[in-house]
Amino acid sequence: MIGIVDYGMGNLLSVYNAFDYLGEDVKICSYPEELSTVDRIVIPGVGAFKDCIKLLETKFFVESLNEQVIKNGKPTLGICLGMQVMAKKSYEFGEFNGLGWFDAEVIKIDNFNQKFKVPNIGWNEIEFKEENALFQGIDNHSDFYLVHSYFMKCRNDLDIVATYDYGAKITAAVMKDNIFATQFHPEKSQDNGLRIIENFVNWKP
């Protein structure tokens, strides 16, 4: 059973539909105790970091997520803002602490004196580590869909498993232990995105 965390932000329906399309048992978890009933966890997200972490805290998801993801080691997928909130800290509209699962900070994309548009909206060519299980069956340098102004800057390069070029190397996906997260939206990335989701379902970290 796949559990999608419903904390009040994110494109729940499109993420739900992607798993459902692949024939997976999936449920939207609106209460933290529901995370104990699923085998895999998805943290989606669209919007601002400060709102995301505040909602996770006020809806009591933080403690449950730490228990199920960190302590119990359930395979977990973060998408877009759901990836960024896994960092230690964000500088979006202030300075805010995150879940701290990755030694990373969330910082704004440099537009290099208006050379690059921010937010970056659209398809970008992703370069990934080919030995990575979550990218199996996908051609390297394939396009994925992104919508973001901020990105995760990791202190440990080993956590980074995919990047794309936007004037500088931008983190596109990270992985550590039982956690995999993407800045791009697999649920909006057509066949390649569905393959990422299928690989996550079959992933045995």
Side-chain angles (χ1 to χ4, degrees):
M1 175 70 74
I2 312 295
I4 302 173
V5 181
D6 176 16
Y7 56 94
M9 297 175 69
N11 47 333
L12 296 178
L13 188 58
S14 58
V15 175
Y16 179 96
N17 287 341
F19 282 95
D20 184 63
Y21 177 81
L22 294 171
E24 299 301 324
D25 291 328
V26 56
K27 68 182 292 186
I28 292 176
C29 299
S30 301
Y31 302 97
E33 56 268 23
E34 292 180 287
L35 297 182
S36 65
T37 69
V38 301
D39 304 304
R40 294 169 187 267
I41 295 171
V42 181
I43 308 174
V46 175
F49 187 103
K50 65 176 181 178
D51 298 326
C52 176
I53 193 65
K54 182 178 179 180
L55 284 167
L56 285 172
E57 289 171 348
T58 57
K59 292 179 180 291
F60 304 104
F61 271 109
V62 173
E63 183 178 351
S64 182
L65 283 169
N66 281 325
E67 180 178 0
Q68 298 301 327
V69 178
I70 304 303
K71 181 180 176 181
N72 295 344
K74 289 185 179 180
T76 300
L77 170 65
I79 298 174
C80 194
L81 183 59
M83 164 181 162
Q84 293 181 5
V85 78
M86 297 176 178
K88 283 188 173 181
K89 187 175 292 188
S90 171
Y91 293 97
E92 182 180 12
F93 305 125
E95 185 175 329
F96 304 93
N97 293 327
L99 295 171
W101 295 348
F102 287 88
D103 188 5
E105 295 179 335
V106 177
I107 62 173
K108 193 168 187 178
I109 298 172
D110 190 338
N111 68 4
F112 296 96
N113 297 318
Q114 310 302 319
K115 185 177 179 181
F116 292 88
K117 291 182 179 180
V118 178
N120 175 27
I121 302 174
W123 296 85
N124 290 264
E125 185 180 288
I126 304 298
E127 180 179 2
F128 57 83
K129 294 180 179 179
E130 295 191 359
E131 70 275 11
N132 189 277
L134 276 298
F135 288 96
Q136 284 186 2
I138 299 172
D139 292 333
N140 212 337
H141 303 281
S142 291
D143 289 339
F144 289 84
Y145 189 79
L146 295 108
V147 182
H148 68 127
S149 300
Y150 288 76
F151 74 100
M152 182 186 282
K153 183 176 178 62
C154 296
R155 289 191 176 90
N156 186 352
D157 289 341
L158 294 177
D159 292 338
I160 302 171
V161 294
T163 60
Y164 76 94
D165 191 357
Y166 206 65
K169 289 290 186 183
I170 303 293
T171 306
V174 293
M175 176 184 282
K176 184 168 68 173
D177 302 325
N178 55 301
I179 305 168
F180 176 72
T182 65
Q183 183 62 65
F184 57 82
H185 287 270
E187 79 283 4
K188 296 182 179 179
S189 297
Q190 300 178 356
D191 289 347
N192 287 330
L194 287 173
R195 186 57 189 262
I196 291 274
I197 291 171
E198 185 177 17
N199 286 341
F200 169 69
V201 170
N202 296 322
W203 183 38
K204 294 184 172 107

